[in-house]
Amino acid sequence: MKHLRYVLKGGRGSGKSFHIPMRIMLDVMEYPVSAIGIRKVQNTILKSSYANFKGAANVLA
């Protein structure tokens, strides 16, 4: 990891929802870091970000 914080921008369909959770999980496993996911738009985190991280965990398993 080169930086403490990353701000990622991109339009719809840019792949953030797939690649970012996977990268975060790999970094947490490899380095002594913590991570937090914050979502600006969506009613519940369970239907959005949590599902993305769960999918990434299934791919890595």
Side-chain angles (χ1 to χ4, degrees):
M1 290 183 68
K2 293 182 180 181
H3 304 287
L4 179 60
R5 294 182 183 96
Y6 290 88
V7 176
L8 305 164
K9 296 181 179 184
R12 190 171 149 197
S14 65
K16 294 182 307 296
S17 295
F18 177 76
H19 295 299
I20 300 310
M22 190 167 299
R23 182 72 251 172
I24 290 172
M25 292 182 79
L26 289 170
D27 285 346
V28 168
M29 291 187 300
E30 186 175 347
Y31 303 106
V33 297
S34 299
I36 184 170
I38 299 171
R39 183 147 180 137
K40 182 178 178 181
V41 178
Q42 186 57 279
N43 291 347
T44 64
I45 197 102
L46 189 61
K47 292 182 180 177
S48 60
S49 298
Y50 178 77
N52 293 334
F53 277 91
K54 189 174 176 180
N58 287 333
V59 170
L60 293 173

